[in-house]
Amino acid sequence: PNGGIISEDEKFKIELLINPSMIQDQLVFYLYKNGFKGIPNAGITGYVKFIKKNGEEFDRKLKSRGDNRFVAQLKGTESFNCQVIFTLKKGKEISGTFSFVGDEPEGSSRYYCAMHPKKNQDKLGLCSECGMELKLRELK
């Protein structure tokens, strides 16, 4: 419904939107039941278990935002696999797994658009999509 990646668990679906260029809330999760009917986040808790490509593992607690979404913070833009686990009001747990191939620049693509992070180039300039000034990417 929001253009993200979908994972299914029995009657439930979890949608993940990834925006590594945001300052906060880089990961946004939505929870659905029965044909993408949104589930309000009141009384639901959750966390994300990450495994980065270097083998590092860590957890992030999900925070509620608005009426129907959960967010998590992400450091960096490198590839990862993750499992998100939600605990519903009655104690039932549902989970989904996701992979992110990363948004690291290839070669010398050091500049990116904050609104269109896939728009990379090797010199400072304007985004070809929206005309916004490109930002310098911190290379690791």
Side-chain angles (χ1 to χ4, degrees), residues 10-76:
E10 298 177 18
K11 300 178 203 172
F12 298 92
K13 292 178 178 51
I14 302 167
E15 181 180 24
L16 167 61
L17 284 86
I18 305 171
N19 193 346
S21 67
M22 297 295 288
I23 293 172
Q24 65 179 14
D25 300 350
Q26 296 91 355
L27 304 177
V28 180
F29 294 92
Y30 293 90
L31 190 54
Y32 304 103
K33 187 175 182 180
N34 299 332
F36 292 104
K37 179 180 179 191
I39 298 175
N41 55 16
I44 298 175
T45 60
Y47 68 95
V48 183
K49 179 178 285 296
F50 291 95
I51 304 171
K52 291 200 171 191
K53 66 181 177 183
N54 66 4
E56 176 189 0
E57 294 186 25
F58 59 95
D59 294 347
R60 291 276 191 266
K61 184 178 177 181
L62 292 174
K63 296 178 182 176
S64 296
R65 290 280 194 268
D67 294 331
N68 66 344
R69 65 187 184 278
F70 300 86
V71 298
Q73 311 313 314
L74 180 64
K75 284 177 60 178

Coordinates of all heavy atoms in Angstrom, one line a residue, residues 10-76:
E10 N 1.2 -15.8 8.6 CA -0.2 -16.3 8.7 C -1.2 -15.3 8.1 O -1.1 -15.0 6.9 CB -0.5 -16.6 10.2 CG 0.3 -17.7 10.8 CD 0.0 -18.0 12.2 OE1 -1.0 -17.5 12.7 OE2 0.9 -18.6 12.9
K11 N -2.1 -14.8 8.9 CA -3.1 -13.8 8.4 C -2.6 -12.4 8.3 O -3.3 -11.5 7.9 CB -4.3 -13.8 9.3 CG -5.0 -15.2 9.5 CD -6.1 -15.0 10.5 CE -6.5 -16.3 11.1 NZ -7.4 -16.2 12.2
F12 N -1.3 -12.2 8.8 CA -0.8 -10.8 8.9 C 0.2 -10.5 7.8 O 0.9 -11.4 7.3 CB -0.1 -10.6 10.2 CG -1.1 -10.7 11.4 CD1 -1.3 -12.0 12.0 CD2 -1.8 -9.7 11.8 CE1 -2.2 -12.1 13.0 CE2 -2.7 -9.8 12.9 CZ -2.9 -11.0 13.5
K13 N 0.3 -9.2 7.4 CA 1.3 -8.8 6.5 C 2.1 -7.6 7.2 O 1.5 -6.8 7.9 CB 0.7 -8.3 5.2 CG 0.1 -9.4 4.4 CD -0.5 -8.9 3.1 CE -1.1 -10.0 2.2 NZ -2.0 -10.9 2.8
I14 N 3.4 -7.5 6.9 CA 4.2 -6.5 7.5 C 4.8 -5.8 6.3 O 5.4 -6.4 5.4 CB 5.3 -7.0 8.4 CG1 4.6 -7.8 9.6 CG2 6.1 -5.8 8.9 CD1 5.6 -8.6 10.4
E15 N 4.7 -4.5 6.2 CA 5.3 -3.7 5.1 C 6.5 -2.9 5.7 O 6.3 -2.3 6.8 CB 4.3 -2.8 4.5 CG 4.9 -2.0 3.4 CD 3.9 -1.0 2.7 OE1 2.9 -0.6 3.4 OE2 4.1 -0.7 1.6
L16 N 7.6 -2.9 5.0 CA 8.8 -2.1 5.4 C 9.1 -1.1 4.3 O 9.3 -1.5 3.2 CB 10.0 -3.1 5.6 CG 11.4 -2.4 5.8 CD1 11.4 -1.5 7.0 CD2 12.4 -3.5 5.9
L17 N 9.3 0.1 4.7 CA 9.8 1.2 3.9 C 11.2 1.6 4.4 O 11.3 1.8 5.6 CB 8.9 2.4 3.9 CG 7.6 2.3 3.1 CD1 6.5 1.6 3.9 CD2 7.2 3.6 2.5
I18 N 12.1 1.7 3.5 CA 13.5 2.0 4.0 C 13.9 3.3 3.3 O 13.9 3.4 2.1 CB 14.5 0.9 3.5 CG1 14.0 -0.5 4.1 CG2 15.9 1.2 4.0 CD1 14.8 -1.7 3.5
N19 N 14.4 4.2 4.1 CA 14.9 5.5 3.6 C 16.1 5.9 4.4 O 16.1 6.7 5.3 CB 13.8 6.6 3.7 CG 14.2 7.8 2.9 OD1 15.4 7.9 2.4 ND2 13.3 8.7 2.7
P20 N 17.3 5.3 4.0 CA 18.5 5.5 4.7 C 19.0 6.9 4.7 O 19.8 7.3 5.6 CB 19.5 4.6 4.1 CG 19.0 4.3 2.7 CD 17.5 4.4 2.8
S21 N 18.6 7.8 3.9 CA 19.1 9.2 3.8 C 18.4 10.1 4.8 O 18.8 11.2 5.0 CB 18.9 9.7 2.4 OG 17.5 9.9 2.1
M22 N 17.3 9.6 5.5 CA 16.6 10.4 6.5 C 17.5 10.5 7.7 O 18.2 9.6 8.1 CB 15.3 9.8 6.8 CG 14.3 9.7 5.7 SD 13.8 11.3 5.1 CE 12.7 11.8 6.4
I23 N 17.3 11.6 8.5 CA 18.1 11.8 9.7 C 17.6 10.9 10.8 O 18.3 10.4 11.6 CB 18.0 13.3 10.2 CG1 18.7 14.1 9.1 CG2 18.5 13.5 11.5 CD1 18.5 15.6 9.3
Q24 N 16.2 10.6 10.8 CA 15.7 9.7 11.8 C 14.6 8.9 11.1 O 14.1 9.2 10.0 CB 15.2 10.4 13.0 CG 14.0 11.4 12.8 CD 13.5 12.0 14.1 OE1 14.2 12.0 15.1 NE2 12.4 12.6 14.0
D25 N 14.1 7.9 11.8 CA 13.0 7.0 11.3 C 13.3 6.5 9.9 O 12.5 6.5 9.0 CB 11.7 7.8 11.3 CG 11.3 8.2 12.7 OD1 11.9 7.8 13.7 OD2 10.3 9.0 12.8
Q26 N 14.5 5.9 9.7 CA 14.9 5.4 8.4 C 14.1 4.2 8.0 O 14.0 3.9 6.9 CB 16.4 5.1 8.4 CG 17.3 6.2 8.6 CD 17.7 6.5 10.1 OE1 17.2 5.9 11.0 NE2 18.5 7.5 10.3
L27 N 13.6 3.4 9.0 CA 12.8 2.2 8.8 C 11.4 2.5 9.3 O 11.2 2.9 10.4 CB 13.4 1.0 9.5 CG 14.9 0.7 9.1 CD1 15.4 -0.5 9.9 CD2 15.1 0.4 7.6
V28 N 10.4 2.3 8.4 CA 9.0 2.4 8.8 C 8.3 1.1 8.5 O 8.4 0.6 7.4 CB 8.4 3.6 8.0 CG1 6.9 3.7 8.4 CG2 9.1 4.9 8.2
F29 N 7.6 0.6 9.5 CA 6.9 -0.6 9.4 C 5.4 -0.4 9.5 O 4.9 0.4 10.4 CB 7.3 -1.6 10.5 CG 8.7 -2.1 10.4 CD1 9.7 -1.4 11.1 CD2 9.0 -3.2 9.6 CE1 11.0 -1.8 11.0 CE2 10.3 -3.6 9.6 CZ 11.3 -2.9 10.2
Y30 N 4.6 -1.1 8.7 CA 3.1 -1.0 8.8 C 2.7 -2.5 9.0 O 3.2 -3.4 8.4 CB 2.5 -0.5 7.5 CG 2.7 1.0 7.3 CD1 3.9 1.4 6.6 CD2 1.9 2.0 7.8 CE1 4.1 2.7 6.4 CE2 2.1 3.3 7.6 CZ 3.2 3.7 6.8 OH 3.5 5.0 6.6
L31 N 1.6 -2.7 9.8 CA 1.1 -4.0 10.1 C -0.3 -4.1 9.5 O -1.1 -3.1 9.8 CB 1.1 -4.2 11.6 CG 0.8 -5.5 12.2 CD1 1.7 -6.6 11.6 CD2 0.9 -5.5 13.7
Y32 N -0.6 -5.2 8.8 CA -1.9 -5.3 8.2 C -2.5 -6.7 8.5 O -1.8 -7.6 8.7 CB -1.8 -5.2 6.6 CG -1.1 -4.0 6.1 CD1 0.2 -4.0 5.7 CD2 -1.9 -2.8 6.1 CE1 0.8 -2.8 5.2 CE2 -1.3 -1.6 5.6 CZ 0.1 -1.7 5.2 OH 0.6 -0.5 4.7
K33 N -3.8 -6.8 8.4 CA -4.6 -8.0 8.5 C -5.6 -8.1 7.4 O -6.1 -7.1 7.0 CB -5.2 -8.1 9.9 CG -5.9 -9.4 10.2 CD -6.4 -9.4 11.6 CE -7.0 -10.8 11.9 NZ -7.5 -10.9 13.2
N34 N -5.9 -9.3 6.9 CA -7.0 -9.5 5.9 C -7.0 -8.6 4.8 O -7.8 -7.6 4.8 CB -8.3 -9.5 6.6 CG -8.5 -10.6 7.7 OD1 -7.8 -11.6 7.6 ND2 -9.3 -10.4 8.7
G35 N -6.1 -8.8 3.8 CA -6.2 -8.0 2.6 C -5.7 -6.5 2.8 O -6.4 -5.6 2.3
F36 N -4.7 -6.3 3.6 CA -4.1 -5.0 3.8 C -5.0 -4.0 4.5 O -5.0 -2.8 4.3 CB -3.6 -4.4 2.5 CG -2.5 -5.2 1.9 CD1 -2.6 -6.0 0.8 CD2 -1.2 -5.0 2.4 CE1 -1.6 -6.7 0.3 CE2 -0.1 -5.7 1.9 CZ -0.3 -6.6 0.8
K37 N -5.8 -4.5 5.5 CA -6.5 -3.7 6.4 C -5.5 -3.3 7.5 O -5.0 -4.1 8.2 CB -7.7 -4.4 7.0 CG -8.5 -3.5 8.0 CD -9.7 -4.3 8.5 CE -10.4 -3.3 9.5 NZ -11.4 -4.1 10.3
G38 N -5.2 -2.0 7.6 CA -4.3 -1.5 8.6 C -4.7 -1.8 10.0 O -5.8 -1.7 10.4
I39 N -3.7 -2.1 10.8 CA -3.9 -2.4 12.3 C -3.4 -1.2 13.1 O -2.2 -0.8 12.9 CB -3.2 -3.7 12.7 CG1 -3.8 -4.9 11.9 CG2 -3.3 -3.9 14.2 CD1 -3.0 -6.2 12.2
P40 N -4.2 -0.6 13.9 CA -3.7 0.5 14.7 C -2.6 0.1 15.7 O -2.6 -1.1 16.1 CB -5.0 0.9 15.5 CG -6.1 0.4 14.8 CD -5.6 -0.8 14.1
N41 N -1.6 0.9 15.9 CA -0.5 0.5 16.7 C -0.7 0.6 18.2 O 0.2 0.1 19.0 CB 0.8 1.3 16.3 CG 0.6 2.8 16.4 OD1 -0.3 3.2 17.0 ND2 1.5 3.5 15.7
A42 N -1.8 1.1 18.7 CA -2.0 1.2 20.1 C -1.9 -0.2 20.8 O -2.6 -1.2 20.4 CB -3.4 1.8 20.4
G43 N -1.1 -0.3 21.8 CA -1.0 -1.6 22.6 C -0.1 -2.6 21.9 O 0.1 -3.7 22.5
I44 N 0.5 -2.3 20.8 CA 1.4 -3.3 20.1 C 2.8 -2.8 20.4 O 3.2 -1.6 20.3 CB 1.1 -3.3 18.6 CG1 -0.3 -3.8 18.4 CG2 2.1 -4.2 17.9 CD1 -0.8 -3.8 16.9
T45 N 3.7 -3.8 20.7 CA 5.1 -3.5 20.8 C 5.9 -4.3 19.8 O 5.4 -5.2 19.2 CB 5.6 -3.8 22.3 OG1 5.4 -5.2 22.5 CG2 4.9 -3.0 23.3
G46 N 7.2 -3.9 19.7 CA 8.0 -4.7 18.8 C 9.5 -4.3 18.8 O 9.8 -3.3 19.3
Y47 N 10.3 -5.1 18.1 CA 11.7 -4.8 17.9 C 12.2 -5.4 16.6 O 11.5 -6.2 16.0 CB 12.5 -5.2 19.1 CG 12.6 -6.7 19.3 CD1 13.7 -7.4 18.8 CD2 11.6 -7.5 19.9 CE1 13.8 -8.8 18.9 CE2 11.7 -8.8 20.1 CZ 12.8 -9.5 19.6 OH 12.9 -10.9 19.7
V48 N 13.3 -4.9 16.2 CA 14.0 -5.4 15.0 C 15.3 -6.0 15.3 O 16.1 -5.4 16.0 CB 14.2 -4.3 13.9 CG1 14.7 -4.9 12.6 CG2 12.9 -3.6 13.7
K49 N 15.6 -7.2 14.9 CA 16.9 -7.9 15.1 C 17.6 -7.8 13.7 O 17.1 -8.3 12.7 CB 16.7 -9.3 15.5 CG 18.0 -10.1 15.7 CD 17.7 -11.5 16.1 CE 17.3 -11.6 17.5 NZ 18.3 -11.2 18.5
F50 N 18.8 -7.1 13.7 CA 19.5 -6.9 12.5 C 20.7 -7.8 12.5 O 21.4 -8.1 13.5 CB 20.1 -5.5 12.5 CG 19.1 -4.4 12.3 CD1 18.5 -3.7 13.3 CD2 18.7 -4.0 11.0 CE1 17.6 -2.7 13.2 CE2 17.7 -3.1 10.8 CZ 17.2 -2.4 11.9
I51 N 21.1 -8.2 11.2 CA 22.4 -8.9 11.0 C 23.0 -8.2 9.8 O 22.4 -8.2 8.7 CB 22.2 -10.4 10.6 CG1 21.4 -11.1 11.8 CG2 23.5 -11.1 10.4 CD1 21.0 -12.5 11.5
K52 N 24.1 -7.5 10.0 CA 24.7 -6.8 8.9 C 25.6 -7.7 8.2 O 26.0 -8.8 8.6 CB 25.5 -5.6 9.5 CG 24.6 -4.5 10.0 CD 25.4 -3.2 10.1 CE 24.4 -2.1 10.4 NZ 25.0 -0.8 10.3
K53 N 26.1 -7.3 7.0 CA 26.9 -8.1 6.1 C 28.2 -8.5 6.7 O 28.8 -9.5 6.4 CB 27.1 -7.5 4.7 CG 27.9 -6.2 4.7 CD 28.0 -5.7 3.3 CE 28.8 -4.4 3.3 NZ 28.8 -3.8 2.0
N54 N 28.7 -7.7 7.7 CA 30.0 -8.1 8.4 C 29.7 -9.0 9.5 O 30.7 -9.4 10.3 CB 30.7 -6.8 8.9 CG 29.9 -6.1 9.9 OD1 28.8 -6.5 10.4 ND2 30.4 -4.9 10.3
G55 N 28.5 -9.5 9.7 CA 28.1 -10.5 10.8 C 27.7 -9.8 12.1 O 27.2 -10.5 13.0
E56 N 27.8 -8.5 12.2 CA 27.4 -7.8 13.4 C 25.9 -7.9 13.6 O 25.1 -7.8 12.7 CB 27.7 -6.3 13.3 CG 27.3 -5.4 14.4 CD 27.4 -3.9 14.2 OE1 27.9 -3.6 13.1 OE2 27.1 -3.2 15.1
E57 N 25.5 -8.2 14.8 CA 24.1 -8.4 15.2 C 23.7 -7.3 16.2 O 24.5 -7.1 17.1 CB 23.8 -9.8 15.7 CG 23.9 -10.9 14.7 CD 23.5 -12.2 15.2 OE1 22.6 -12.3 16.1 OE2 24.0 -13.2 14.7
F58 N 22.5 -6.8 16.1 CA 22.0 -5.8 17.1 C 20.5 -5.7 17.0 O 20.0 -6.0 16.0 CB 22.7 -4.5 17.0 CG 22.5 -3.8 15.7 CD1 21.5 -2.8 15.5 CD2 23.4 -4.1 14.6 CE1 21.3 -2.2 14.3 CE2 23.2 -3.4 13.4 CZ 22.2 -2.5 13.2
D59 N 19.9 -5.2 18.1 CA 18.4 -5.1 18.1 C 18.1 -3.6 18.2 O 18.9 -2.8 18.8 CB 17.8 -5.8 19.3 CG 18.0 -7.3 19.3 OD1 18.3 -7.8 18.2 OD2 17.7 -7.9 20.3
R60 N 16.9 -3.2 17.7 CA 16.4 -1.9 17.8 C 14.9 -2.0 18.2 O 14.2 -2.7 17.6 CB 16.5 -1.1 16.5 CG 17.8 -0.7 16.0 CD 18.3 0.6 16.7 NE 19.5 1.1 16.1 CZ 20.7 0.8 16.5 NH1 20.9 0.1 17.5 NH2 21.7 1.4 15.9
K61 N 14.5 -1.3 19.3 CA 13.1 -1.2 19.7 C 12.3 -0.4 18.7 O 12.8 0.6 18.2 CB 13.1 -0.6 21.1 CG 11.7 -0.6 21.7 CD 11.7 -0.1 23.1 CE 10.3 0.0 23.6 NZ 10.2 0.6 24.9
L62 N 11.1 -0.9 18.4 CA 10.3 -0.1 17.5 C 9.5 1.0 18.3 O 9.1 0.7 19.4 CB 9.2 -1.0 16.8 CG 9.8 -2.0 15.8 CD1 8.7 -2.9 15.3 CD2 10.4 -1.3 14.6
K63 N 9.4 2.1 17.7 CA 8.6 3.2 18.3 C 7.3 3.5 17.5 O 7.4 3.4 16.3 CB 9.4 4.5 18.4 CG 10.7 4.3 19.2 CD 11.5 5.6 19.2 CE 12.7 5.4 20.1 NZ 13.6 6.6 20.0
S64 N 6.2 3.7 18.2 CA 5.0 4.1 17.5 C 5.1 5.5 16.9 O 5.6 6.4 17.6 CB 3.8 4.0 18.4 OG 3.6 2.7 18.9
R65 N 4.5 5.6 15.7 CA 4.4 7.0 15.1 C 3.0 7.0 14.5 O 2.6 6.1 13.8 CB 5.4 7.2 14.0 CG 6.8 7.3 14.5 CD 7.1 8.7 15.0 NE 8.6 8.9 15.1 CZ 9.2 8.7 16.3 NH1 8.6 8.2 17.3 NH2 10.5 8.9 16.3
G66 N 2.3 8.1 14.8 CA 1.0 8.3 14.3 C 0.1 7.2 14.8 O 0.3 6.6 15.9
D67 N -1.0 6.8 14.0 CA -1.9 5.8 14.5 C -1.6 4.4 14.0 O -2.1 3.4 14.5 CB -3.3 6.1 13.9 CG -3.8 7.4 14.6 OD1 -3.5 7.7 15.7 OD2 -4.6 8.1 13.9
N68 N -0.7 4.3 13.0 CA -0.6 2.9 12.3 C 0.8 2.6 11.9 O 0.9 1.7 11.1 CB -1.6 2.8 11.2 CG -1.2 3.8 10.0 OD1 -0.4 4.7 10.2 ND2 -1.7 3.6 8.9
R69 N 1.8 3.2 12.4 CA 3.1 2.8 11.9 C 4.1 2.8 13.0 O 3.9 3.3 14.1 CB 3.6 3.8 10.8 CG 3.9 5.2 11.2 CD 4.2 6.0 9.9 NE 4.5 7.4 10.3 CZ 3.6 8.3 10.6 NH1 2.4 8.1 10.5 NH2 4.0 9.5 10.9
F70 N 5.2 2.1 12.8 CA 6.3 1.9 13.7 C 7.6 2.3 13.0 O 7.7 2.0 11.8 CB 6.4 0.4 14.2 CG 5.1 -0.1 14.8 CD1 4.1 -0.6 14.1 CD2 4.9 -0.1 16.2 CE1 2.9 -1.1 14.6 CE2 3.8 -0.5 16.8 CZ 2.8 -1.0 16.0
V71 N 8.5 2.8 13.8 CA 9.8 3.2 13.2 C 10.9 2.7 14.0 O 10.8 2.3 15.2 CB 9.9 4.8 13.1 CG1 8.8 5.3 12.2 CG2 9.8 5.4 14.5
A72 N 12.1 2.6 13.3 CA 13.3 2.2 13.9 C 14.4 3.0 13.3 O 14.3 3.4 12.1 CB 13.6 0.7 13.7
Q73 N 15.5 3.2 14.1 CA 16.6 4.0 13.6 C 17.7 3.0 13.0 O 17.9 1.9 13.5 CB 17.2 4.8 14.7 CG 16.2 5.6 15.5 CD 15.2 6.4 14.7 OE1 15.6 7.1 13.7 NE2 13.9 6.3 15.0
L74 N 18.4 3.5 12.0 CA 19.4 2.7 11.4 C 20.7 3.6 11.2 O 20.6 4.7 10.8 CB 18.9 2.3 10.0 CG 19.8 1.5 9.1 CD1 20.0 0.1 9.7 CD2 19.2 1.3 7.7
K75 N 21.8 3.0 11.6 CA 23.1 3.7 11.4 C 23.7 3.2 10.1 O 23.9 2.0 10.0 CB 24.0 3.4 12.6 CG 23.6 4.1 13.9 CD 24.5 3.8 15.0 CE 26.0 4.1 14.8 NZ 26.8 3.8 15.9
G76 N 24.0 4.1 9.3 CA 24.7 3.8 8.0 C 23.7 3.3 7.0 O 22.5 3.2 7.2

